[in-house]
Each structure stands twice: as C-alpha cells, then as structure tokens.
Amino acid sequence: MSQAHSNLHRSAWADWWEGTRRTDIWWTLAWFDIVLRYRRSMLGPFWLTLSMGLMIGGMGPLYSSLFGTELSKFFPFLALGIIFWGFFSSMVSDSCNAFIASANYLKQGYFPISLFVWRSMSRNLIVFAHQIVLYIPVAIWAGISLKSSVLLVIPAFILLLINAHALGLLLGLICTRFRDVAQIVTSVMQMAMFLTPVFWLPESLPGRAKYILWNPLAQMLDLLRAPLMGNVSPMYNWYGILGWTAFCVAAAALLFAKYRRRVVYWL
C-alpha cells in the first residue's frame, strides 16, 4: 500500500495528529508568509505595529473625553481591546481561507489539513507578537501594577488557541465548500466589534443591555484583558468560554471526521 493511500485511510485522530506534530512545516510556512508579505519593506511587520500604535494614540484621548473617563484608566483598556480584537478578527478571517489559500499544496500531494490551520494560526501569532509590545509603554505610563492574577492570562490564552484551532477547522471546511460563508463571517465580525467592549466600557451599559456581554467574544476579551490590567474576570466568563469551547471542539471534530477527505475536491 502506498504512503498516500495509507494516509487517506488513517483515523481522524491520526490524521489530525500528523498535521499537528509537523511544527517544522507549518511554522516555516507561516514564517515565509510573513517574509513574503513584507518583502522589500524597511520595517516589515512593524508597519502594523506603527499603524496600530497611531490608532491607539489617536483614539485614546478622543474616546476618553467622549465617555468622560479618566485617560489613565481608559487608555490601557482601549489598547488591549484593539490589540486583542485585531488578533481575533484576523484569526477568524484567515480561518475561512485556510484551505483555499493552500490549494496548491493540497492539490499536489497528501497533506493533513490540520497543518494549514496551524499555519494560519502561527502567522497571526507572529503578527500579534509584534503588536502586543505596544501595551508595555501604555501600562508603564498608566501606572498599572500587575498582581499574581496576571498568570490567569496563560489559561485564557490557551483557551483562545484551542478555540482558534477548532474554528479554523470548522470555518475552513464550511467556507471551502460554501464560498459565500466567508463574506457572512466578515460581516458578522464587523457587527460583533461594536457589540463587544473594545472601544466602550462595560459599566457604561444600562442594566437592560448587559446581555450583550454574554457573547463569547466579549467573554474571551475580558478573560485576556482583566489580568493585564490588574483585575480578575468574573467566574461566569470562564464558564461561558468553557461551554463555548466544548461546543466548538465537538462541532469541529464532527465535521473534520466526516469531510476532511473531501476538501481537495472542493478546491
């Protein structure tokens, strides 16, 4: 039996693990994606850092005045909101095209499709690493004193990565089969940005609108942002994200097991 034939008849778990363990492939592909994107550029991905820094610096004083909030309190809140939301948004949009953008590889030979989800995630992690450094001068200027609760950002970030990978498989499969879904997801993410406390403070909501904070993006953002501001996110956010994670993983596992072999025929 040929290697390609045997690979196609692996179990879903073995197929997923084969793509996951090949860090040498998906990390190299992600790195070259960044290199090629910013080829002949003097600052490379730091252009993203610069542009985001200018946006945070311009919006901070303006929105602080609009909401009547002290700048030293609002500035780090806004900075983390914009940085993490940019990470969420790019991760979701890239998930929709994870397999479509890798069509050349998938058509030429056998590759576990999970490999290309890891590639997409790694590319966004590299960009995120260039942007999160903006928070350091903001935190120093605002005089934020971090407590031991800052360690909660580690399990929160792990949950984020688990969700990103599950959504990568889920949206990647659906958007490869139904190309219009990517446009729907983009529109939903644009709307969700205004329903998530990225630019506005949760305490500014009237009591009857608090249900907006139940959306998974708002809960995930609070789990990541609160520890970095010296606070602790409420337990209901942890319960909500754990439930959402279980749902995403179950849905992704079901679709992956059933349709992973059809991806190459949908490209």
Side-chain angles (χ1 to χ4, degrees):
M1 183 181 294
S2 68
Q3 181 67 24
H5 184 68
S6 63
N7 282 336
L8 288 174
H9 287 78
R10 286 176 171 171
S11 67
W13 169 258
D15 194 43
W16 176 84
W17 176 246
E18 177 64 21
T20 300
R21 73 179 186 87
R22 294 308 304 267
T23 56
D24 56 327
I25 297 178
W26 48 260
W27 185 259
T28 301
L29 288 174
W31 180 256
F32 276 109
D33 286 341
I34 298 295
V35 171
L36 291 175
R37 182 183 299 179
Y38 298 101
R39 184 174 53 184
R40 299 181 186 276
S41 172
M42 292 180 62
L43 295 180
F46 284 104
W47 278 115
L48 295 175
T49 308
L50 180 61
S51 61
M52 182 166 286
L54 291 173
M55 181 170 66
I56 293 171
M59 293 179 66
L62 173 62
Y63 276 70
S64 176
S65 300
L66 289 174
F67 292 123
T69 307
E70 186 180 352
L71 184 59
S72 61
K73 176 185 176 182
F74 184 74
F75 208 20
F77 178 91
L78 177 68
L80 287 173
I82 292 177
I83 292 169
F84 280 119
W85 184 262
F87 186 45
F88 294 169
S89 181
S90 61
M91 194 80 80
V92 170
S93 61
D94 276 9
S95 294
C96 295
N97 297 303
F99 306 139
I100 297 171
S102 305
N104 291 336
Y105 295 102
L106 289 167
K107 288 179 179 180
Q108 290 178 14
Y110 169 78
F111 288 95
I113 64 171
S114 63
L115 184 149
F116 298 104
V117 176
W118 288 116
R119 172 195 184 183
S120 173
M121 289 176 59
S122 300
R123 182 170 61 240
N124 283 289
L125 280 170
I126 293 171
V127 174
F128 173 73
H130 285 81
Q131 295 175 341
I132 194 62
V133 296
L134 289 169
Y135 181 66
I136 297 175
V138 172
I140 294 173
W141 175 83
I144 293 177
S145 58
L146 298 179
K147 306 173 185 176
S148 58
S149 60
V150 71
L151 296 176
L152 289 173
V153 78
I154 298 174
F157 201 77
I158 291 172
L159 283 173
L160 172 62
L161 294 181
I162 293 172
N163 276 280
H165 189 70
L167 283 174
L169 291 173
L170 189 65
L171 291 176
L173 288 166
I174 294 173
C175 293
T176 302
R177 178 63 182 86
F178 304 102
R179 302 299 172 92
D180 291 340
V181 174
Q183 304 303 320
I184 297 173
V185 171
T186 299
S187 299
V188 169
M189 289 300 292
Q190 289 175 348
M191 180 181 66
M193 180 177 64
F194 298 103
L195 299 177
T196 303
V198 177
F199 307 110
W200 47 269
L201 295 167
E203 51 264 32
S204 63
L205 286 175
R208 63 182 181 275
K210 294 291 185 182
Y211 69 89
I212 291 177
L213 301 178
W214 296 352
N215 84 73
L217 290 168
Q219 293 179 324
M220 190 75 254
L221 179 59
D222 192 63
L223 290 181
L224 292 164
R225 179 162 56 188
L228 294 174
M229 294 187 64
N231 302 321
V232 178
S233 183
M235 282 303 299
Y236 61 79
N237 283 335
W238 289 99
Y239 295 143
I241 287 300
L242 286 172
W244 174 256
T245 302
F247 169 76
C248 286
V249 169
L254 181 64
L255 287 187
F256 179 74
K258 189 171 183 179
Y259 296 111
R260 69 186 189 280
R261 298 189 182 99
R262 302 188 189 182
V263 169
V264 69
Y265 301 107
W266 293 340
L267 294 171

